[in-house]
Amino acid sequence: MRRLFPVTDMTAPNAQVNAVDREWSLDELADAYAYPAGAETWLRANMVSSLDGAGQHEGRSQPLSSDTDMRIFGTLRGLADVVVVGAETVRQEGYRPARAREAFAARRAAAGQGPAPVIAVVTASLGLDLTLPLFAAPLVPTLILTGAGAPAERIAAARDAGVEVLLAGEGAAVDPARAVALLAGRGLRRQLTEGGPRLLGQFAAAEVLDELCLTVSPTMTAGDAQRIAHGPSLALPTRFGLASLLEQDGFLFSRYRRI
């Protein structure tokens, strides 16, 4: 990691800017991206965007990413209690279970966390392949978040397959605020969402997103790809303040917190 700006609140009156031109260790990254002390619940998102605003290329985020982006991706997972992800992203990105990483083992144990974050899949239809390793053989049991109005036979099938289904909405869809509260009630307070755009749009519209970790990729895609957040708009835009900014090889790694 090069040209690393401080991870203090850049909106603070006396914020300092000191560049560091060297590779950061995973421990240093984990310190930089640590969840705020004392926060009862904190939902952060991790997304990547091209220069022209695309959140994906041909349905996947990987073509926009880099090795350093993946290091930060792994660090954010290493700090989280739970990773919340939409069903379409699970299908498009080929999601697998979160794995235990030795680099974060001591930190997680000291924080009272399990060996890896829980994966919580948000879905209204439950159109999921329950034989995939994400559901059939995870290190930490995967959760499904859906609404009470979702297809009853699919809820029953998921439960019969040994997957815990949590109801976080009155209709088929998940209520974002209820999902956040439901996970926090299970002790999963340090929350991370990795998308996709529709899920992030729902969290943003419900105004429950506390932090956005956004990688700006030095690429142009053109086309008609979605932005990183897609869905209902807010009556007034939500303001976020820059908390930190990192750069390597033209990639910008920003972190914004809701003001």
Side-chain angles (χ1 to χ4, degrees):
M1 196 72 58
R2 296 183 174 85
R3 297 182 189 170
L4 176 62
F5 292 86
V7 201
T8 55
D9 181 0
M10 295 296 289
T11 64
N14 299 316
Q16 300 293 314
V17 177
N18 299 305
V20 179
D21 189 14
R22 63 173 175 81
E23 185 85 354
W24 270 37
S25 68
L26 286 178
D27 270 343
E28 289 173 306
L29 281 176
D31 287 341
Y33 281 93
Y35 281 82
E40 289 190 9
T41 304
W42 193 265
L43 174 64
R44 68 167 31 142
N46 183 33
M47 301 292 283
V48 61
S49 170
S50 69
L51 292 175
D52 53 335
Q56 308 162 333
H57 182 63
E58 296 184 348
R60 300 180 66 237
S61 61
Q62 190 278 331
L64 305 179
S65 186
S66 68
D67 289 344
T68 301
D69 184 46
M70 294 310 297
R71 286 187 80 214
I72 292 176
F73 174 93
T75 299
L76 295 181
R77 279 197 165 197
L79 298 172
D81 295 327
V82 59
V83 177
V84 188
V85 62
E88 184 62 22
T89 297
V90 167
R91 290 186 285 264
Q92 291 283 352
E93 303 281 355
Y95 259 59
R96 298 186 62 81
R99 58 189 178 92
R101 297 186 60 189
E102 184 61 32
F104 300 103
R107 188 181 293 264
R108 292 186 68 85
Q113 296 173 298
V118 173
I119 305 291
V121 181
V122 176
T123 175
S125 69
L126 280 86
L128 301 163
D129 183 352
L130 300 175
T131 67
L132 292 175
L134 178 62
F135 303 102
L139 176 64
V140 179
T142 296
L143 302 175
I144 289 177
L145 287 167
T146 193
E153 67 281 5
R154 291 188 175 181
I155 293 176
R159 288 173 170 163
D160 288 345
V163 182
E164 187 170 2
V165 179
L166 305 180
L167 303 181
E170 298 302 327
V174 166
D175 178 288
R178 286 183 61 174
V180 168
L182 190 60
L183 293 171
R186 299 171 64 88
L188 305 174
R189 300 181 299 102
R190 289 161 288 222
Q191 301 174 3
L192 169 67
T193 181
E194 297 170 351
R198 281 184 294 180
L199 181 60
L200 180 56
Q202 291 164 15
F203 281 133
E207 298 190 78
V208 294
L209 184 68
D210 297 299
E211 180 178 320
L212 173 64
C213 298
L214 175 64
T215 296
V216 179
S217 170
T219 55
M220 297 283 287
T221 68
D224 57 359
Q226 290 181 330
R227 299 180 305 166
I228 63 166
H230 178 76
S233 62
L234 286 79
L236 292 173
T238 303
R239 283 293 304 277
F240 285 71
L242 181 65
S244 66
L245 181 64
L246 303 82
E247 182 274 343
Q248 186 169 24
D249 299 329
F251 284 81
L252 296 179
F253 306 96
S254 61
R255 187 163 59 92
Y256 288 87
R257 289 183 174 178
R258 186 170 51 168
I259 298 174

